[in-house]
Amino acid sequence: MNCDWIRQRMDAYVDNELPEAEAAEFEAHMRSCAACANAALEQTRLKLATRTAGQRFTPPAEFLQRMEQNLRPQSAKPSWRLLRWPVALPVAMAAALLLAVLLIANFQHRRAAYAELADLHVTTLASANPVDVISEDRHTVKPWFAGRIPFTFDLPELKDTGFELSGGRVVYLQHSPGAQLLYTLRKHRLSVFIFQDGQAWPGMMTGASSELSFHMESWSHSGLRYVIVGDVSDADIHSLAELLRKVARQ
Amino acid sequence: MAEPTTDTGTFEELTLPLLARLYNLARWLTQDAVEAEELVQESCMKALRGFGSYRQGTNFSAWIYRIMRNTFLTSRAGLKHTTISLDDEESDVPEPATVGTPETALLASFDQQAIQGALEELPLHFREIILLCDVEEMSYQAISDALGIPIGTVMSRLSRARRAMRAQLAGMPNSPRPRSASR
């Protein structure tokens, strides 16, 4: 045992990871070697100082409250009247978070790909910044994605359809980047997800389906997989799907 | 040696006490308040969905941190850090001349602000292993589980991370800059 042996084990000693026998040898050496003892002292001081300095960020009280409400089992939840959502949060966000509670209570039984998209939809609605490009203009939203995702797509004209475009953002599903477009219909919000079709979608089927209270419709066109998720009727989702299919065929 | 952690309970019982710690780690990862909140929220939802795969009695904080880390690394912000440099594990971090000499100015720089600044400057994979070991006080085994790397790699990465941090604290001009994360 020499100073090199000690230095090689310095981290493990300070982290209390050295086997008992080696720790005893380590300490015996330090009693006779001031340089190694000083090095251990310095390392310990740095570790303790890092521990304090690393505890730097405290979560906002509103965030903790929101998370606790989300994580609490359904039976223990307070009634609607007792829920104290932050005043600044819009009612839609509160509704979305309640939907999240319903969703997460049944996560175990959901198909992976649909479940992931429902997660993304709920997370988006609950977010303070749901979209990265905020615009009702399809000619603003579509170009924004250029260079951010490895494909392009067309968006439909929405005049007199009841649908409004709110904006979009880049999302990742199974490590693949894609587009999420947020639409509004009679105060309901719908997400349109567009990804490259392929092996990442083994569970995806073309057609309509539902995930708990959400309705979905999915189809594939020209190598792209489209999925619409929302809490409106199947017919409404189908209408938006038809608009998207029509513009994609043009 | 560090005692293994044994965590048992419902998802709520295990997660609620960790929220503040998860948020702190998320802030260090994302370096943004809004993104940190979203990261914790999304990670908890994923963890709840996958709670069936958590083995009761194992280290829950390592398990949920792994989910949060993977969520971050596949997010828009995280992908910026995923340019893997295969040299990362082998690259040598310059040894500050002050190591092991407590009479130097290095000890004087052990103030909170200096350490926070040094942590911010570290590459992501160095920053997170120091946080897990020194702030979260995870054992090497728990860090190995959380990062999905062998214990030997935990030890070598931790050693280099601490050297890099000392280099930052000593103000070495050739100390490593943020650039990548190893998975």
Side-chain angles (χ1 to χ4, degrees):
Chain A
M1 180 183 48
N2 54 30
C3 293
D4 285 342
W5 186 92
I6 290 290
R7 298 302 169 103
Q8 285 166 13
R9 288 158 180 77
M10 188 65 75
D11 284 298
Y13 177 76
V14 171
D15 294 331
N16 198 27
E17 292 275 356
L18 216 52
E20 213 168 300
E22 288 191 23
E25 283 186 67
F26 192 100
E27 286 165 2
H29 176 86
M30 282 198 297
R31 278 194 285 275
S32 61
C33 178
C36 287
N38 278 333
L41 175 65
E42 183 260 1
Q43 182 112 330
T44 304
R45 287 188 60 184
L46 179 58
K47 182 179 173 74
L48 292 176
T50 303
R51 184 184 172 198
T52 305
Q55 294 166 353
R56 180 181 186 181
F57 303 106
T58 306
E62 299 82 19
F63 171 70
L64 282 181
Q65 187 183 19
R66 202 163 71 231
M67 288 299 297
E68 285 174 15
Q69 286 170 346
N70 275 351
L71 294 173
R72 201 168 290 144
Q74 197 69 20
S75 57
K77 282 197 169 300
S79 72
W80 248 113
R81 291 170 62 85
L82 295 177
L83 283 175
R84 305 294 294 173
W85 299 99
V87 176
L89 291 177
V91 173
M93 186 180 291
L97 287 168
L98 281 177
L99 280 173
V101 171
L102 294 173
L103 276 171
I104 57 184
N106 292 277
F107 271 154
Q108 303 282 350
H109 306 293
R110 292 163 54 184
R111 283 165 293 176
Y114 280 141
E116 188 81 15
L117 291 176
D119 287 354
L120 281 172
H121 178 63
V122 170
T123 303
T124 301
L125 297 190
S127 168
N129 302 300
V131 289
D132 291 332
V133 53
I134 305 170
S135 175
E136 297 174 2
D137 181 4
R138 59 185 173 141
H139 298 299
T140 301
V141 173
K142 179 189 164 184
W144 181 85
F145 282 98
R148 291 182 166 89
I149 53 175
F151 57 87
T152 185
F153 53 84
D154 290 314
L155 295 177
E157 168 62 49
L158 298 173
K159 193 179 175 188
D160 300 327
T161 63
F163 292 100
E164 290 177 6
L165 179 62
S166 303
R169 66 172 190 155
V170 175
V171 288
Y172 293 88
L173 192 67
Q174 298 175 9
H175 307 281
S176 299
Q180 180 181 9
L181 303 154
L182 202 59
Y183 286 90
T184 305
L185 177 68
R186 300 185 301 272
K187 296 185 180 175
H188 293 274
R189 289 197 280 181
L190 303 88
S191 286
V192 175
F193 295 99
I194 308 175
F195 288 90
Q196 285 176 299
D197 212 354
Q199 293 183 343
W201 300 90
M204 276 293 168
M205 294 180 295
T206 296
S209 65
S210 64
E211 282 292 315
L212 300 172
S213 56
F214 288 123
H215 295 275
M216 298 182 166
E217 182 162 340
S218 175
W219 71 97
S220 178
H221 180 80
S222 297
L224 297 181
R225 168 62 60 177
Y226 296 74
V227 184
I228 303 180
V229 183
D231 60 348
V232 294
S233 68
D234 281 338
D236 286 331
I237 285 186
H238 188 67
S239 299
L240 181 57
E242 280 299 305
L243 290 168
L244 285 157
R245 278 194 282 264
K246 189 176 171 186
V247 75
R249 284 194 296 265
Q250 288 171 354
Chain B
M1 290 182 68
E3 292 294 322
T5 308
T6 55
D7 297 324
T8 55
T10 64
F11 182 78
E12 178 202 10
E13 288 167 346
L14 292 171
T15 307
L16 286 180
L18 292 179
L19 281 178
R21 287 163 56 189
L22 286 173
Y23 176 84
N24 181 56
L25 287 169
R27 278 291 296 269
W28 279 110
L29 287 181
T30 61
Q31 301 192 306
D32 180 89
V34 174
E35 284 184 20
E37 286 189 18
E38 291 178 353
L39 177 59
V40 174
Q41 182 170 302
E42 190 176 346
S43 304
C44 286
M45 292 171 75
K46 284 183 176 174
L48 177 56
R49 191 180 61 193
F51 190 53
S53 69
Y54 169 67
R55 283 186 294 122
Q56 291 279 339
T58 58
N59 190 312
F60 183 76
S61 58
W63 181 80
I64 199 167
Y65 178 75
R66 183 168 188 169
I67 292 172
M68 189 166 86
R69 179 181 194 264
N70 289 338
T71 303
F72 171 69
L73 289 177
T74 54
S75 72
R76 181 167 25 107
L79 282 177
K80 287 187 288 192
H81 296 277
T82 56
T83 310
I84 307 291
S85 166
L86 294 178
D87 297 334
D88 276 351
E89 294 301 343
E90 287 75 35
S91 66
D92 209 12
V93 174
E95 188 81 36
T98 49
V99 166
T101 54
E103 293 79 12
T104 67
L106 181 62
L107 274 181
S109 69
F110 280 4
D111 67 80
Q112 193 160 310
Q113 221 170 355
I115 290 177
Q116 288 169 350
L119 279 171
E120 280 177 359
E121 290 297 313
L122 287 181
L124 182 68
H125 64 306
F126 281 174
R127 192 189 319 145
E128 75 172 348
I129 201 165
I130 286 181
L131 289 168
L132 293 181
C133 185
D134 293 349
V135 180
E136 289 301 308
E137 298 184 283
M138 282 188 190
S139 67
Y140 288 176
Q141 181 60 57
I143 296 173
S144 165
D145 293 340
L147 303 185
I149 56 177
I151 284 189
T153 308
V154 171
M155 295 170 75
S156 56
R157 188 181 295 178
L158 189 58
S159 172
R160 281 193 312 281
R162 283 176 171 155
R163 254 185 291 157
M165 189 149 138
R166 284 197 203 92
Q168 288 287 352
L169 287 170
M172 291 181 67
N174 55 344
S175 54
R177 308 297 303 171
R179 58 189 169 144
S180 66
S182 301
R183 298 208 187 216

